Amino acid sequence: QKEVEQDPGPLSVPEGAIVSLNCTYSNSAFQYFMWYRQYSRKGPELLMYTYSSGNKEDGRFTAQVDKSSKYISLFIRDSQPSDSATYLCAMSFYGQNFVFGPGTRLSVLP
Amino acid sequence: SQTIHQWPATLVQPVGSPLSLECTVEGTSNPNLYWYRQAAGRGLQLLFYSVGIGQISSEVPQNLSASRPQDRQFILSSKKLLLSDSGFYLCAWNLDRTAGNTIYFGEGSWLTVV
């Protein structure tokens, strides 16, 4: 079983839709959870960072962590064409390296 | 605020030629520095990390090496490139690795070995 699994997509949605991106993981020791947005041929940009379980909201973005299910989500409300990118989930725990998902390609169609 | 610079952005190198990718961080001191490689459809693979000048840890045995000659400078090198070295290389930094703090990336360097 891979340490972090993420549907690679591509996921295509119309402008204004609510987007749900998800990752599952196998290591229950993970405590820190991140979402990155990566435009084509660019470095990943940090979008959201959460510690342990719960929800965090920032503008149109909401990150959810369910440690009991080993499942994290990123929701994008009122999606825009500028949200078209690859979204990477990442996680870590104390003193250890980061583990990244392979990324989900998202296309928001105008 | 902190910024990270990585160069060159794109390069095409023949097999057997040397490689040098450079990365510098501004606006902070004593950063942890990382080199990752990203292959299409796969997660980021950690190649090297450094917690201080001259301190390099290698995660994956390979044709590459890293050096940290100054506090905020990290260099990825190879003496003889292989075709399999082609890929997208990312430099990254954070301040407190042991606390699991998040990590920030540079713009990346696209390497094509021909």
Side-chain angles (χ1 to χ4, degrees):
Chain A
Q1 182 183 8
K2 290 183 179 178
E3 208 163 9
V4 177
E5 301 208 40
Q6 185 176 8
D7 187 337
L11 175 63
S12 294
V13 301
E15 184 175 354
I18 297 174
V19 177
S20 172
L21 303 167
N22 312 294
C23 284
T24 58
Y25 61 94
S26 57
N27 192 336
S28 58
F30 287 134
Q31 294 176 300
Y32 303 87
F33 303 91
M34 290 138 277
W35 285 96
Y36 290 84
R37 177 175 62 197
Q38 186 175 21
Y39 292 114
S40 180
R41 301 181 71 86
K42 298 291 186 181
E45 169 194 12
L46 179 67
L47 272 181
M48 302 286 285
Y49 168 69
T50 53
Y51 170 70
S52 194
S53 286
N55 293 358
K56 186 173 183 179
E57 187 173 324
D58 184 1
R60 297 185 295 111
F61 298 91
T62 299
Q64 285 186 353
V65 175
D66 182 349
K67 291 188 70 180
S68 61
S69 302
K70 300 193 188 73
Y71 189 86
I72 68 171
S73 300
L74 178 70
F75 297 96
I76 306 174
R77 292 184 297 280
D78 187 25
S79 56
Q80 303 295 310
S82 58
D83 295 326
S84 298
T86 296
Y87 290 80
L88 307 173
C89 63
M91 45 204 75
S92 68
F93 55 95
Y94 190 89
Q96 299 299 318
N97 290 324
F98 299 84
V99 178
F100 291 84
T104 299
R105 281 182 54 199
L106 171 66
S107 291
V108 181
L109 307 174
Chain B
S1 63
Q2 299 90 357
T3 56
I4 179 169
H5 302 284
Q6 186 180 340
W7 71 94
T10 305
L11 65 166
V12 180
Q13 296 283 98
V15 169
S17 65
L19 171 73
S20 180
L21 301 179
E22 295 196 29
C23 171
T24 59
V25 179
E26 296 178 357
T28 187
S29 58
N30 300 317
N32 303 309
L33 297 172
Y34 305 79
W35 279 110
Y36 283 88
R37 178 164 56 200
Q38 185 176 34
R42 293 199 223 163
L44 293 164
Q45 179 189 34
L46 179 64
L47 302 176
F48 301 94
Y49 69 87
S50 171
V51 299
I53 296 174
Q55 301 178 60
I56 309 294
S57 296
S58 174
E59 293 293 310
V60 181
Q62 58 205 333
N63 186 41
L64 302 170
S65 62
S67 62
R68 185 169 176 173
Q70 300 180 43
D71 180 46
R72 292 171 291 170
Q73 183 184 23
F74 206 23
I75 298 171
L76 183 69
S77 304
S78 174
K79 291 182 179 178
K80 289 185 177 181
L81 283 169
L82 306 173
L83 286 174
S84 57
D85 292 324
S86 295
F88 190 44
Y89 290 84
L90 289 157
C91 183
W93 73 276
N94 69 356
L95 279 181
D96 188 351
R97 178 171 173 269
T98 58
N101 278 351
T102 192
I103 191 170
Y104 302 92
F105 290 92
E107 286 294 287
S109 297
W110 282 95
L111 169 65
T112 303
V113 182
V114 296

